[in-house]
């Protein structure tokens, strides 16, 4: 058996609360019948409070990318045009997913480390009046930058284009209001701020998205990730099996337990707690001489990046912390490889003591690697 003893300070998967792991390890129930159907529906209603939508919600077994695939592939036809915000690795990933469904993507870029600007989407929509949709990552996990979703959503409403948001690393950790922000489609994942193990992609679909989905042929882009298939079973088999496949029952049980903890704590209180961790970490990083990658005004409450000591590839810091302290942090992705470290504090179980322990290990590393060539 694989023994996991590392302290996870990465941007997902997170270490869930013991009660969530206990739910995950419960005896496996059948995925159909009235008892599991009620439980599934209860889980959706808990999730609804986090997503803040009156639209439809599905739990798709798979990782966040399955949900993204489902949203983009179901709502748009091969050859249709999509504006994609790119200011990091996961914006680029949205392009790859969209293009796998034959969509024509138009990049709307900002420098890595800077947020996307709604004015740039307005200009891109002027230049591409045939664009049907806009896709944006909420929290760009590669750079820790939160993009201005409410502003871009308001623009999309004004211009009558669909708005898809990748909330894989933000849902449950950053403010999120699907309906009020004009979001039509959203995909997330359970292994980050939702506090559960990997395995489910929550997907939410609003009425304008359904209009777009119902416009496309039923054979559009596959079956498993076709949202029309998911709606069909949610309606036709509502009383006993409201999804088309064998549901990942224990993942639903874990998510249910985690969502109950989140709502019992209160979303605002949880977010404030994460912000406190972020501020503590930033202060400690500065004391060690590791400059945060973004200014405090742009902090992500659940994820912090910092530059390493001059001349030290940050991969070395990541290996050191794992080897010497049993703490798993992340390095930079893509263009930021070996440039930054990224420390996740998106688990509901993360405490001040975890932040302090991580800082202590980083301090020792820095003391041993001062002025390294
Ligand atoms: C913003 C963002 N989008 C998409 C993904 C891909 O999610 P998954 O690995 O769950 O498919 C990630 C994973 O880290 C992410 O952070």
């Amino acid at each position: 058996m694989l023994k996991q003893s590392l302290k996870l300070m990465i941007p997902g998967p997170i270490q869930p609360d013991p009660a969530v792991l206990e739910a995950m390890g419960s005896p496996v129930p059948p995925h159909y019948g009235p008892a599991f159907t009620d439980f599934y529906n209860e889980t959706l209603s808990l999730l609804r409070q986090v997503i803040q939508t009156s639209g439809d919600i599905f739990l798709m077994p798979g990782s966040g990318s399955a949900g993204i695939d489902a949203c983009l592939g179901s709502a748009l036809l091969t050859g249709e045009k999509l504006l994609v915000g790119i200011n990091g690795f996961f914006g680029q990933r949205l392009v790859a997913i969209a293009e796998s469904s034959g969509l024509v993507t138009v990049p709307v870029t900002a420098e890595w480390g800077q947020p996307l600007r709604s004015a740039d989407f307005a200009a891109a929509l002027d230049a591409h009046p045939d664009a049907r949709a806009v896709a944006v990552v909420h929290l760009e996990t590669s750079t820790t930058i939160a993009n201005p979703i409410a502003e871009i959503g308001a623009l999309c409403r004004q211009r009558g284009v669909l708005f898809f948001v990748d909330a894989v690393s933000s849902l449950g950790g950053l403010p999120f209001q699907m309906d009020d922000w004009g979001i039509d489609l959203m995909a997330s994942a359970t292994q980050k701020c939702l506090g559960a193990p990997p395995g489910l992609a929550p997907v939410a679909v609003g009425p304008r998205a359904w209009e777009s989905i119902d416009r496309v042929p039923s054979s559009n882009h596959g079956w498993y990730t076709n949202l029309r298939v998911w709606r069909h079973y949610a309606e036709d088999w509502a009383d006993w099996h409201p999804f088309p496949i064998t549901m990942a029952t224990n993942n639903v049980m874990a998510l249910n337990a985690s969502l109950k903890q989140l709502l019992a704590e209160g979303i605002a209180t949880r977010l404030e707690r994460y912000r406190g961790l972020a501020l503590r970490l930033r202060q400690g990083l500065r004391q060690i001489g590791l400059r945060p990658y973004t200014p405090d005004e742009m902090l992500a409450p659940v994820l912090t990046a910092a530059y390493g000591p001059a001349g030290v590839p940050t991969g070395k810091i990541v290996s050191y912390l794992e080897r010497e302290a049993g703490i798993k942090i992340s390095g930079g992705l893509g263009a930021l490889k070996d440039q930054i470290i990224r420390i996740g504090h998106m688990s509901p179980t993360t405490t001040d003591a975890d932040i302090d322990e991580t800082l202590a290990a980083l301090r020792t590393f820095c003391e041993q690697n001062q002025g390294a060539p």
Side-chain angles (χ1 to χ4, degrees), residues 36-81:
F36 189 77
T37 298
D38 284 353
F39 185 81
Y40 179 81
N41 288 333
E42 180 195 67
T43 311
L44 297 190
S45 71
L46 299 170
L47 204 46
R48 185 174 300 290
Q49 297 171 59
V50 183
I51 302 174
Q52 293 281 304
T53 184
S54 57
D56 293 305
I57 302 176
F58 305 102
L59 286 175
M60 196 169 278
S63 75
S65 305
I68 298 172
D69 225 340
C71 290
L72 297 180
S74 298
L76 298 167
L77 287 167
T78 298
E80 286 189 326
K81 201 176 263 184

Side-chain angles (χ1 to χ4, degrees), residues 63-65 68 90 93 137 139 141 166 168-169 189 191-192:
S63 75
S65 305
I68 298 172
F90 289 103
R93 176 64 64 74
V137 176
L139 176 59
T141 321
D166 166 347
V168 169
S169 62
Q191 76 272 16
K192 298 184 191 274

Side-chain angles (χ1 to χ4, degrees), residues 169-207:
S169 62
S170 61
L171 192 69
L174 267 65
F176 196 85
Q177 294 179 34
M178 174 155 171
D179 292 356
D180 286 357
W181 291 354
I183 300 168
D184 299 308
L185 289 151
M186 178 242 52
S188 188
T190 46
Q191 76 272 16
K192 298 184 191 274
C193 309
L194 291 174
L200 290 173
V203 170
V205 189

Side-chain angles (χ1 to χ4, degrees), residues 23-24 26-32 36 39-40 43 61 200 243 246-256:
M24 186 78 190
S26 308
V28 176
H31 65 285
Y32 50 84
F36 189 77
F39 185 81
Y40 179 81
T43 311
L200 290 173
F243 26 75
T246 303
M247 184 47 62
T249 46
N250 289 51
N251 289 80
V252 178
M253 294 194 284
L255 178 63
N256 184 291

Side-chain angles (χ1 to χ4, degrees), residues 90-108:
F90 289 103
Q92 293 175 333
R93 176 64 64 74
L94 283 186
V95 170
I97 295 176
E99 291 185 348
S100 77
S101 281
L103 308 184
V104 175
T105 59
V106 177
V108 177

